[in-house]
Amino acid sequence: MPLLSLGRLLLLSSLWGASFLFMRIATPALGAFPTAFFRVLLGAAGLVAILALLRVRWHFEGKLGAVLAIGMINSGIPFGMFCIAAQYLPAGYSAMLNASTPLMGVVIGATLFHEPLTRDRLIGVAAGMLGVGVLVGTGPVRVDGGLLIGAAACLIAAICYGLGGFIVKRWVAERGGLDSRLIAMGSQVGATLLLAPFMLGQLALAPHAIAWNDSGVWWAMLALGLACTSLAYLLYFRLVEDLGPVKPLTVTMLVPAFGVLWGALFLDEQVSWAHAIGGSLIGVALWMILFRGRRDVGKPGAEQTRD
């Protein structure tokens, strides 16, 4: 991997890892849905400004509806779910549970899109689920209803992310493709449209529960929207352009480490052996799925393990 691309990959990992820190800061003060809404609103605004500076022409080639729907599934629902989880889970927990995204992608691909399910991918899914179980069941957070709600919200987000890659391929790539910068910007607009009624509903139910005057919270929201969303999406799509679709997926292995690190440094979150054991199992799972699993596809006998 070229040194410049490696630098972009590490920066992207640190930004996406920090997003869980900023959600953990903002959600208690603003609520889950306002936090998610302002994240995508600021992310969309930042991308609109960047595309204007780059003089990117807004030609969606008849795919605007598909891009908006992709944003609802791939950003709106996951961001809402992670903000719900931030009410119950430490930032590091959410970041590590987010790493189950490729596991969900394997299951969704095999069940809905006829993707080959090789032996290595099956082993990877099993190891990943075991890692999630170790993290949730033996970590420093007491097992109760809040933990289960937070973990379930993170896994729903991971399912949406796992589905997202397939719908981008089906709705955009297979229909002639589209400028990735337009996909990034349009997806955030779609997420904003989805989350707006939920944000307004929460405001109507608890209008005085939001800390509008807390400057620290709004600095966190600016970082979440502009750095962890606008800038991060541009970095990710640049990596895809430079390295292809596979190598940038290694970001999934690095985000949990940064998520745990930022949570420990800035929120004094406890780090335990459950993080190391659960994270190691999830890391093994990702390696089996992203690399060994891809090499095995197309080998003789690989199709025998397809569901």
Side-chain angles (χ1 to χ4, degrees):
M1 183 182 295
L3 187 61
L4 187 57
S5 294
L6 179 60
R8 290 192 181 107
L9 184 72
L10 291 174
L11 177 57
L12 176 62
S13 303
S14 67
L15 288 173
W16 274 347
S19 69
F20 297 96
L21 166 71
F22 295 128
M23 284 188 286
R24 183 69 169 164
I25 292 171
T27 299
L30 301 180
F33 290 115
T35 300
F37 170 79
F38 286 116
R39 174 181 183 175
V40 295
L41 179 65
L42 290 168
L47 286 165
V48 167
I50 291 170
L51 265 61
L53 289 173
L54 297 176
R55 298 183 179 179
V56 176
R57 300 179 67 184
W58 290 29
H59 290 304
F60 285 89
E61 302 173 14
K63 303 181 185 73
L64 177 59
V67 171
L68 294 177
I70 288 168
M72 293 177 185
I73 296 170
N74 202 51
S75 292
I77 297 174
F79 291 172
M81 290 297 103
F82 280 126
C83 287
I84 290 173
Q87 299 176 115
Y88 304 102
L89 299 182
Y93 259 56
S94 294
M96 295 186 76
L97 290 170
N98 177 52
S100 64
T101 293
L103 317 181
M104 302 303 179
V106 168
V107 174
I108 290 169
T111 55
L112 299 180
F113 296 94
H114 308 293
E115 288 284 311
L117 188 60
T118 65
R119 178 185 61 190
D120 284 335
R121 286 180 171 178
L122 279 171
I123 294 172
V125 170
M129 290 298 99
L130 180 60
V132 170
V134 168
L135 179 65
V136 173
T138 63
V141 177
R142 183 169 58 90
V143 177
D144 57 13
L147 173 61
L148 297 178
I149 291 171
C154 289
L155 294 178
I156 291 171
I159 290 171
C160 291
Y161 284 148
L163 179 62
F166 292 103
I167 61 176
V168 170
K169 179 181 178 182
R170 180 72 58 88
W171 295 351
V172 176
E174 293 179 356
R175 293 174 53 199
L178 190 66
D179 188 327
S180 60
R181 295 168 295 183
L182 289 178
I183 298 175
M185 185 272 291
S187 68
Q188 296 311 296
V189 173
T192 302
L193 294 174
L194 175 71
L195 289 168
F198 293 95
M199 185 272 295
L200 293 173
Q202 185 165 334
L203 287 180
L205 293 173
H208 303 295
I210 295 182
W212 296 106
N213 297 323
D214 191 331
S215 60
V217 168
W218 289 104
W219 280 114
M221 284 305 312
L222 284 173
L224 183 61
L226 299 180
C228 301
T229 306
S230 298
L231 176 59
Y233 267 99
L234 291 177
L235 285 171
Y236 175 73
F237 285 117
R238 176 60 185 268
L239 285 168
V240 171
E241 181 180 343
D242 290 343
L243 303 176
V246 178
K247 287 185 179 180
L249 292 176
T250 53
V251 70
T252 324
M253 301 181 182
L254 299 172
V255 167
F258 280 104
V260 172
L261 174 64
W262 301 145
L265 287 178
F266 296 105
L267 298 179
D268 295 322
E269 293 180 355
Q270 182 181 353
V271 180
S272 72
W273 284 107
H275 287 89
I277 297 171
S280 297
L281 286 168
I282 292 172
V284 169
L286 298 180
W287 181 73
M288 297 290 287
I289 290 169
L290 298 180
F291 301 106
R292 284 189 59 86
R294 289 186 63 87
R295 288 204 302 268
D296 286 347
V297 173
K299 290 184 178 180
E303 297 295 320
Q304 295 178 2
T305 55
R306 179 186 291 182
D307 275 354

